Amino acid sequence: EIVMTQSPATLSVSPGERATLSCRASQSVDSNLAWYQQKPGQAPRLLVYGASTRATGIPARFSGSGSGTEFTLTISSLQSEDFAIYYCQQYDDWPPLTFGGGTKVEIK
Amino acid sequence: QVQLQESGPGLVKPSQTLSLTCTVSGGSISSADYYWTWIRQPPGKGLEWIGNIYYSGSTYYNPSLKSRVIMSVDMSKNEFSLRLTSVTAADTAVYYCSRVSMIQRYNWFDPWGQGTLVTVSS
């Protein structure tokens, strides 16, 4: 099983600032990685797939990068609606499909 | 666009079977392009993939749950179902249904249902 590790667990950021979230895989997943955003009481929403391709309707301030075992989700200028929990998910080798533990982005 | 909606009992007794249904609208569950999937999230915790089912009935399950999971498809109702046997308090979670491409290396989850909370308690 591929284990996904996200850091930090919590990120405190002021509105308008940049947020950088990390996701590490226990073995290479090539570019087969997705990112999701989850707001309280809501289902997760797909943000990025293929490590760097934004899903339909996702603002350009969200960008994904990386390959192999190290990945980053960057939010260039945090808006109020971006404070949420973010999860990465690998789909290179499954079953099982696996998620990271999440990074909570909170208001500083 | 495709929408998914979970339904089922919100309370299940320990040792019994959890049963949920996901109704698909705006698209056909018999599409050759997709698996249909269940994911769960214990309160305050992360996401756990439960399994995928294809319209033909072929399945992939999480090895950690495989001995207790049964998934099925009802094409006449455009819905798919999850049964989880011998539940304990550890199975208390919000259960989501979703869709995932059956093309290898395209296996991200989109869209998601709104989720339904299932509590295991006597």
Side-chain angles (χ1 to χ4, degrees):
Chain A
E1 173 177 332
I2 298 177
V3 177
M4 308 301 293
T5 303
Q6 292 187 241
S7 61
T10 304
L11 186 61
S12 299
V13 185
S14 300
E17 292 188 339
R18 173 187 297 259
T20 302
L21 290 65
S22 295
C23 175
R24 175 177 294 178
S26 60
Q27 65 188 68
S28 176
V29 297
D30 197 3
S31 294
N32 298 309
L33 185 108
W35 289 94
Y36 302 85
Q37 176 194 65
Q38 186 178 34
K39 297 180 182 179
Q42 296 185 17
R45 175 177 70 146
L46 177 69
L47 293 177
V48 169
Y49 59 88
S52 61
T53 302
R54 281 188 301 277
T56 302
I58 302 303
R61 63 181 181 272
F62 291 92
S63 63
S65 62
S67 66
T69 61
E70 301 284 344
F71 300 87
T72 300
L73 178 69
T74 301
I75 312 171
S76 60
S77 177
L78 271 159
Q79 307 297 303
S80 58
E81 62 268 29
D82 300 336
F83 291 96
I85 300 175
Y86 293 83
Y87 295 95
C88 60
Q89 175 236 331
Q90 70 81 22
Y91 48 90
D92 184 74
D93 185 19
W94 63 280
L97 291 155
T98 52
F99 294 88
T103 291
K104 181 179 181 181
V105 178
E106 64 176 23
I107 300 175
K108 187 174 182 180
Chain B
Q1 72 275 24
V2 170
Q3 294 184 307
L4 301 99
Q5 177 68 58
E6 306 87 351
S7 60
L11 181 64
V12 181
K13 288 182 167 54
S15 80
Q16 294 191 343
T17 297
L18 178 159
S19 297
L20 295 173
T21 296
C22 181
T23 302
V24 179
S25 59
S28 174
I29 201 167
S30 60
S31 168
D33 296 331
Y34 297 103
Y35 294 112
W36 305 95
T37 190
W38 289 97
I39 296 158
R40 70 179 183 177
Q41 184 173 38
K45 296 187 178 181
L47 299 162
E48 179 180 35
W49 172 73
I50 299 171
N52 293 349
I53 187 165
Y54 196 52
Y55 77 96
S56 63
S58 63
T59 54
Y60 292 94
Y61 296 145
N62 191 322
S64 69
L65 297 168
K66 189 174 183 177
S67 64
R68 300 194 292 129
V69 172
I70 303 168
M71 295 176 66
S72 59
V73 169
D74 187 335
M75 286 188 284
S76 68
K77 295 182 178 179
N78 218 41
E79 62 187 32
F80 62 104
S81 298
L82 169 70
R83 295 182 69 218
L84 183 65
T85 63
S86 304
V87 297
T88 68
D91 295 310
T92 294
V94 175
Y95 286 75
Y96 296 100
C97 58
S98 182
R99 183 185 72 174
V100 60
S101 173
M102 62 84 62
I103 301 172
Q104 198 172 10
R105 308 291 191 263
Y106 281 73
N107 313 122
W108 53 85
F109 303 105
D110 184 55
W112 295 60
Q114 66 182 30
T116 187
L117 174 64
V118 179
T119 301
V120 178
S121 175
S122 56

